[in-house]
Amino acid sequence: MKPLAPSPTGLTSAPTRPKSASPGSSAVQRRNSTSSQKNGKDDSGVPGRVRVAVRLRPRNTEELAADADFGDCVELLPELKRLKLRKNNWDCETYQFDEVLTETASQKRVYEVVAKPVVESVLEGYNGTVMAYGQTGTGKTFTLGRLGEEDCANRGIMVRALEDILADISFEHDAVTVSYLQLYMESVQDLLTPERDNIAIVEDPKTGDVSLPGATLVELRDQKSFVELLQTGEANRFAANTKLNTESSRSHAILLVNVKRSAKNKQERDFASHSENGNGVHVSKGHRAPTIRKSKLLIVDLAGSERVDKSGSEGHQLEEAKAINLSLTALGKCINALAENSPHIPIRDSKLTRLLRDSFGGTARTSLIITIGPSPRHRGETASTILFGQRAMRVENMVKLKEEFDYKSLCRRLEAELDKLIAENERQAQAILDGEEDMQRKLEEASICVAEAESKFAAASETFAEKETYQKKISAILQHHEQELNDSQTRLENERAQREKLEKELSEANRCLQEQSKEKHDTGEIWTLHKRLEEELLEREKLDEEIKSLKQQLLQAHIEAEETRRTVGKGSSARSSAGSDSTISLHRPSNMRDTINGQRATIAKLFEQVGLQKILSLLESEDVDVRVHAVKVVANLAAEEANQEKIVEAGGLASLLTLLQSSEDETIRRVAAGAIANLAMNETNQELIMAQGGIGLLARTADDAEDPQTLRMVAGAIANLCGNDKLQIKLREEGGIRALLGMVRSRHPDVLAQVARGIANFAKCESRGAAQGYRTGGSLLIDDGALPWIVANANNEASPIRRHIELALCHLAQHEANAKDLLVGGALWELIRISRECSREDIRSLAQRTLNASPIFQAELRRLHVSY
Ligand code: ADP
Ligand code: MG
């Protein structure tokens, strides 16, 4: 056998291709290839030459004895990675290898330099092949298959490779499966399930990937089970070879390790783990399919490479022997073709070359160890082995990452995410439904609360309004009492001054008397003076008495005012009685009325003690305060029907009218008008008032006064006069009605109520007169322009005003002579309203009767198609 063309250094050239990489640069290129593969820019891989190491077996016992006189046929120069093969005693050939392992090289070192880089490469996602080639007995099985049970230092490449693989992978994401096969006479047998014979080799037409779907695949979890698997395989190999009447050296043992890694780097793993195990619903961005790396490690213990004729002792026929070695021959041819860059590589010639298609000239990282013995007797075989190794070193592979997208896992993950989303969606829909119901319930509750609050508010406003009315009335009463108190005090002061004056006069008189007696004036004069003194003293006693009584009265009034204040403060529940009587008084609570009654009783007592004449004379007092006080007393007396006649008889009416006419004091005019109003309750008095020109005075006061209380009194007095049938014409002629209507300018409800009462009284008399036939023609009220105000206030919200006007309208409408004016004035609609809505049944039916009785109204209603 010829050595290869010597290199310029005189050595046989080894790696020949210029692109061949050193071990260091190969690692760099591997990394580059990884990234370029990931980017998908380079699909062709990077060049990676088949790496070849040579291992020399130490001399065995036989050789030690038989070759004792001969030297070894090889000489190793490990530091130069060279091997010298002796041709004869004076000539030798030198060969360069990637590694040269001497007979003393440890199994560990062999693994590290031959197999470890391939194993690491497989873990990174490349296919890898470690193969042993050599003559039977040179240590192929020793190198690859030793289990090292007796001595762990003897562990071979298979055991160490799996140790490294199992240590590196994560069982959570990765998987390692193993098949163990034997190829004998072009038949693939399963060493783990021996009955599986002739297992088909399947090639993927697209990728060229080779697989053995019929072979047993054992998933590995630990090293122990792998060692057991190898033992089982060995036992089965031994049994199969016994059955076939052959030896293991004639068959090829193939350990196929599949490494499947789901994602290479930590980031990708985190991503995968989050997407698959995360509790939250999380859809990975873009649904990028995770990458999966499926790499294969082939460890091949080839049959002995010795020539068949030399080992024909096994008794096989030549053809049979050729068949036995067919695969190995084909491998040699392929490697030759590859080494010489031949366009045709006869891969399909044998099953072995088909199985190793990726290992030589393919995409795998391949490491070949050739084993040789030292004996010169086998020099020829050794040389042949060396040449095989040299050719293999020229085989260039294109190392390529075995990475693909894991669409199945992506699909599984997306399905899981979809399921989670569907479940979450269902939960959310339910939550929305629940939320809506809750909201509806709360809305209903809220509207109930609002309704309750509204009704409470309405009740409270009503109470508040009532309270406010009471408050106003109370403050008016208090003001009144305070005023009285002040008046009394002033009067007291005056009387005190008068008394002091009298006392002075008395002492002056005494002094004069003494002087005169000294001068012995005549006794007659003394007697006169004495008499006068006595009279003065009597007068003084009387005044003292009066002052005492007034003081008591003042005290009483004070106590009553206090009591009233307390009663009013205590509760606003006491309701005022809306008195319809014509007596002029404020609407007062019943307890107030008691107080007033108490006051009246006091005044009655005063009346008895002092005498009416005396009180009336005080009306003409010089002192305005005395006049004020006196007119108040008279007014109070006039409120009692029993006193009215006495007051008039004593000339009280005349005095009151004079006061009304002449007094410039507002209080006097007010109280006088009140007193006149009270007197005007009586029919005889009404005529007297008229006869004494009272209506004129009242009308003037009505025009001049601004104070609503004065106006109320005046209106009350005129209203009482309005109720007298005989006085109608005179009352109207003397401006009574106009004065009454003029007072509506004060919008005070108390004044308006009195005006309304007057109108109602007047209308009532008119309708009575018309009914009795002594009155014809239209209403004087209407003539004096009362109708617009009547219509405008027919539905006044203050019930005393409304009630009087409703009555007045009914009375006016009863007289057909008024009907036209009422129609024009818009009163018909008010009458209809009264007939339908008035709260007082008698007024309602009066309105109905009136409407039904009037032909003019009926005609108008028919004209307007108002069904009535
Ligand atoms: P092969 O598998 O190549 O036929 P084996 O591995 O069976 O050869 O080796 C043949 C014999 O040589 C065995 O007894 C083995 O223990 C021994 N042997 C092989 N290589 C070595 C070595 N490097 N050191 C010591 N003994 C070895
Ligand atoms: Mg062997």
Side-chain angles (χ1 to χ4, degrees):
M1 183 158 288
K2 275 194 164 185
L4 292 171
S7 67
T9 55
L11 298 171
T12 308
S13 71
T16 53
R17 293 193 181 184
K19 279 189 277 176
S20 292
S22 68
S25 66
S26 156
V28 172
Q29 284 180 349
R30 199 159 61 222
R31 275 198 296 278
N32 288 343
S33 92
T34 305
S35 66
S36 69
Q37 281 297 311
K38 270 188 196 165
N39 294 336
K41 284 175 189 164
D42 182 5
D43 201 38
S44 57
V46 290
R49 181 175 59 72
V50 171
R51 313 212 39 95
V52 181
V54 60
R55 185 181 195 184
L56 178 65
R57 173 176 54 72
R59 285 188 182 202
N60 57 29
T61 328
E62 189 199 339
E63 285 163 341
L64 283 170
D67 301 334
D69 298 335
F70 303 95
D72 288 348
C73 70
V74 291
E75 184 191 340
L76 302 183
L77 304 164
E79 55 287 344
L80 296 172
K81 301 188 196 285
R82 283 180 195 161
L83 175 149
K84 281 184 181 172
L85 176 65
R86 265 182 243 282
K87 275 167 112 180
N88 46 50
N89 282 339
W90 62 91
D91 196 11
C92 69
E93 297 283 349
T94 302
Y95 300 94
Q96 181 86 40
F97 283 97
D98 291 309
E99 288 294 338
V100 170
L101 301 157
T102 65
E103 65 271 34
T104 59
S106 70
Q107 288 281 72
K108 185 173 192 297
R109 207 173 102 71
V110 173
Y111 170 74
E112 276 169 1
V113 299
V114 174
K116 196 170 175 116
V118 177
V119 170
E120 283 172 348
S121 197
V122 167
L123 285 168
E124 283 174 11
Y126 299 87
N127 282 348
T129 307
V130 176
M131 193 169 77
Y133 181 96
Q135 197 184 349
T136 300
T138 50
K140 298 184 295 295
T141 306
F142 182 88
T143 302
L144 297 178
R146 281 292 285 265
L147 300 179
E149 285 175 309
E150 72 298 340
D151 178 358
C152 69
N154 282 340
R155 285 171 300 150
I157 285 172
M158 285 179 180
V159 175
R160 289 174 195 266
L162 263 295
E163 275 171 4
D164 278 359
I165 289 170
L166 290 171
D168 194 66
I169 63 149
S170 129
F171 288 106
E172 200 186 331
H173 304 289
D174 309 333
V176 181
T177 51
V178 176
S179 297
Y180 198 18
L181 309 150
Q182 170 175 275
L183 176 62
Y184 179 65
M185 285 188 65
E186 293 307 287
S187 164
V188 179
Q189 297 157 4
D190 190 340
L191 288 178
L192 301 176
T193 316
E195 50 278 20
R196 291 190 190 171
D197 208 344
N198 211 4
I199 292 167
I201 299 168
V202 179
E203 284 160 60
D204 186 320
K206 272 190 199 160
T207 60
D209 271 357
V210 175
S211 62
L212 297 150
T216 306
L217 264 180
V218 177
E219 183 163 358
L220 283 188
R221 307 295 292 183
D222 54 43
Q223 187 65 19
K224 192 169 159 264
S225 59
F226 175 64
V227 173
E228 283 166 6
L229 181 145
L230 283 183
Q231 281 170 334
T232 311
E234 248 358 270
N236 287 335
R237 193 181 183 195
F238 178 78
N241 289 329
T242 310
K243 195 174 143 200
L244 293 166
N245 193 22
T246 182
E247 286 174 20
S248 60
S249 63
R250 302 260 57 87
S251 68
H252 312 282
I254 301 155
L255 179 74
L256 175 60
V257 184
N258 298 292
V259 177
K260 189 172 132 188
R261 312 197 82 171
S262 64
K264 180 69 187 163
N265 58 46
K266 189 177 178 303
Q267 200 185 348
E268 280 180 45
R269 273 186 203 166
D270 287 351
F271 169 79
S273 133
H274 184 77
S275 297
E276 282 163 27
N277 305 325
N279 290 331
V281 178
H282 170 263
V283 183
S284 41
K285 267 187 195 164
H287 300 296
R288 196 162 69 85
T291 49
I292 184 162
R293 290 178 182 176
K294 284 180 180 170
S295 51
K296 270 189 218 122
L297 172 64
L298 268 177
I299 302 180
V300 184
D301 184 357
L302 289 172
S305 61
E306 60 276 6
R307 297 237 298 266
V308 180
D309 53 340
K310 226 181 169 185
S311 58
S313 55
E314 287 157 26
H316 290 286
Q317 295 298 313
L318 184 62
E319 284 309 307
E320 214 174 3
K322 272 185 186 166
I324 290 168
N325 253 0
L326 176 71
S327 282
L328 211 52
T329 314
L331 178 65
K333 281 181 186 164
C334 281
I335 285 175
N336 279 346
L338 284 163
E340 280 152 23
N341 260 339
S342 164
H344 175 67
I345 317 293
I347 285 167
R348 309 204 62 80
D349 280 6
S350 76
K351 287 197 173 164
L352 181 67
T353 47
R354 282 170 68 200
L355 274 171
L356 293 175
R357 154 188 197 132
D358 199 40
S359 309
F360 294 95
T363 64
R365 184 169 300 283
T366 299
S367 197
L368 174 69
I369 182 161
I370 54 169
T371 53
I372 50 172
S375 171
R377 281 182 289 138
H378 300 298
R379 200 191 149 276
E381 292 301 337
T382 303
S384 149
T385 300
I386 287 167
L387 285 181
F388 180 87
Q390 287 289 297
R391 282 191 207 104
M393 277 178 81
R394 298 173 67 188
V395 176
E396 189 85 49
N397 286 357
M398 293 303 280
V399 179
K400 210 167 125 183
L401 194 67
K402 296 298 175 184
E403 190 175 54
E404 58 189 56
F405 289 119
D406 187 3
Y407 290 108
K408 270 187 196 166
S409 127
L410 174 69
C411 188
R412 267 199 311 278
R413 208 175 71 211
L414 289 179
E415 267 175 13
E417 282 181 19
L418 191 64
D419 284 343
K420 266 186 205 168
L421 284 172
I422 288 168
E424 182 61 20
N425 184 28
E426 247 184 334
R427 276 193 292 274
Q428 280 176 358
Q430 187 57 43
I432 289 167
L433 218 62
D434 291 351
E436 274 174 1
E437 273 172 22
D438 197 37
M439 190 83 94
Q440 190 60 37
R441 195 167 42 72
K442 280 183 181 159
L443 211 62
E444 278 164 16
E445 279 172 11
S447 15
I448 291 168
C449 285
V450 168
E452 272 174 15
E454 271 173 356
S455 76
K456 276 182 190 166
F457 178 74
S461 329
E462 220 168 86
T463 318
F464 181 73
E466 250 174 43
K467 217 170 171 177
E468 224 176 14
T469 317
Y470 283 129
Q471 207 68 47
K472 273 185 196 157
K473 286 177 179 171
I474 286 159
S475 54
I477 292 167
L478 285 176
Q479 210 181 342
H480 177 71
H481 275 286
E482 268 166 26
Q483 187 63 43
E484 276 189 359
L485 206 62
N486 284 341
D487 294 349
S488 302
Q489 269 172 343
T490 320
R491 205 174 150 211
L492 203 63
E493 294 282 312
N494 289 338
E495 304 221 330
R496 191 174 289 137
Q498 211 174 336
R499 200 181 74 177
E500 278 169 9
K501 196 176 144 199
L502 280 172
E503 274 172 358
K504 261 188 197 163
E505 272 178 30
L506 191 64
S507 64
E508 182 67 19
N510 272 334
R511 199 177 48 78
C512 286
L513 189 68
Q514 277 170 7
E515 269 176 22
Q516 279 172 7
S517 36
K518 262 184 205 168
E519 288 164 19
K520 293 184 182 163
H521 276 96
D522 83 329
T523 48
E525 205 173 338
I526 292 167
W527 186 84
T528 318
L529 279 169
H530 202 74
K531 187 97 177 161
R532 203 180 139 201
L533 181 67
E534 269 180 3
E535 269 174 21
E536 295 274 357
L537 280 171
L538 213 67
E539 184 69 20
R540 192 186 137 183
E541 264 173 32
K542 256 191 202 170
L543 278 170
D544 277 348
E545 196 73 15
E546 207 174 313
I547 286 164
K548 200 174 149 195
S549 148
L550 280 168
K551 269 186 182 171
Q552 262 177 359
Q553 215 179 309
L554 199 63
L555 189 70
Q556 181 76 18
H558 195 75
I559 290 164
E560 278 160 12
E562 273 307 303
E563 227 165 82
T564 313
R565 201 193 301 271
R566 251 183 290 129
T567 324
V568 167
K570 258 182 216 165
S572 54
S573 59
R575 302 189 70 91
S576 68
S577 61
S580 62
D581 59 320
S582 54
T583 306
I584 294 301
S585 64
L586 290 161
H587 299 311
R588 297 161 208 253
S590 57
N591 49 358
M592 276 301 299
R593 195 170 273 187
D594 292 347
T595 314
I596 289 161
N597 287 341
Q599 270 182 307
R600 285 197 181 150
T602 317
I603 290 164
K605 241 184 251 166
L606 194 76
F607 174 45
E608 270 167 30
Q609 284 169 11
V610 181
L612 182 61
Q613 207 60 56
K614 175 83 182 162
I615 294 167
L616 289 176
S617 71
L618 288 172
L619 288 177
E620 285 148 39
S621 164
E622 294 281 296
D623 188 337
V624 72
D625 291 322
V626 175
R627 285 208 305 279
V628 168
H629 214 76
V631 79
K632 278 183 185 171
V633 172
V634 174
N636 270 304
L637 288 169
E640 298 292 319
E641 213 177 328
N643 300 329
Q644 289 172 354
E645 203 178 337
K646 287 179 201 163
I647 293 168
V648 174
E649 265 174 23
L653 178 60
S655 304
L656 289 168
L657 286 170
T658 312
L659 277 181
L660 197 61
Q661 185 177 20
S662 59
S663 179
E664 279 168 13
D665 186 281
E666 178 78 40
T667 311
I668 292 176
R669 282 212 307 278
R670 185 182 75 228
V671 181
I676 294 167
N678 282 340
L679 292 176
M681 285 163 66
N682 178 302
E683 203 180 314
T684 320
N685 291 346
Q686 287 165 358
E687 282 160 21
L688 281 171
I689 291 166
M690 291 299 282
Q692 290 177 24
I695 190 65
L697 291 172
L698 286 168
R700 196 167 350 123
T701 315
D703 288 344
D704 295 345
E706 288 303 329
D707 173 36
Q709 291 312 318
T710 310
L711 291 174
R712 180 168 75 97
M713 301 300 174
V714 175
I718 299 178
N720 284 350
L721 296 174
C722 283
N724 192 318
D725 296 297
K726 292 177 215 159
L727 303 175
Q728 297 248 284
I729 311 271
K730 194 168 162 56
L731 192 68
R732 192 241 174 162
E733 277 172 359
E734 291 181 13
I737 293 168
R738 258 185 237 107
L740 196 64
L741 290 171
M743 281 184 281
V744 303
R745 69 177 186 281
S746 153
R747 293 161 188 278
H748 197 286
D750 289 348
V751 179
L752 299 187
Q754 294 303 328
V755 173
R757 188 167 68 83
I759 289 171
N761 280 348
F762 201 93
K764 188 173 156 191
C765 292
E766 279 191 335
S767 80
R768 200 152 48 201
Q772 289 168 7
Y774 59 79
R775 248 194 68 79
T776 50
S779 164
L780 299 175
L781 275 175
I782 295 175
D783 284 352
D784 270 5
L787 193 57
W789 189 79
I790 290 173
V791 173
N793 288 276
N795 198 16
N796 192 300
E797 57 188 12
S799 71
I801 302 172
R802 189 175 65 246
R803 200 151 20 86
H804 287 308
I805 302 226
E806 283 171 348
L807 212 53
L809 262 179
C810 289
H811 287 310
L812 289 173
Q814 274 179 327
H815 193 26
E816 191 68 2
N818 295 331
K820 276 218 171 97
D821 288 332
L822 291 173
L823 264 186
V824 173
L828 175 60
W829 303 111
E830 290 304 327
L831 279 164
I832 292 171
R833 182 192 60 74
I834 294 163
S835 73
R836 282 175 183 164
E837 288 174 16
C838 181
S839 60
R840 263 179 60 172
E841 215 255 310
D842 53 343
I843 299 178
R844 213 164 55 232
S845 63
L846 179 62
Q848 282 162 8
R849 267 186 281 122
T850 311
L851 281 169
N852 286 330
S854 162
I856 292 175
F857 288 153
Q858 286 301 313
E860 178 69 2
L861 290 171
R862 273 196 303 279
R863 192 178 74 77
L864 297 171
H865 305 291
V866 176
S867 60
Y868 186 78

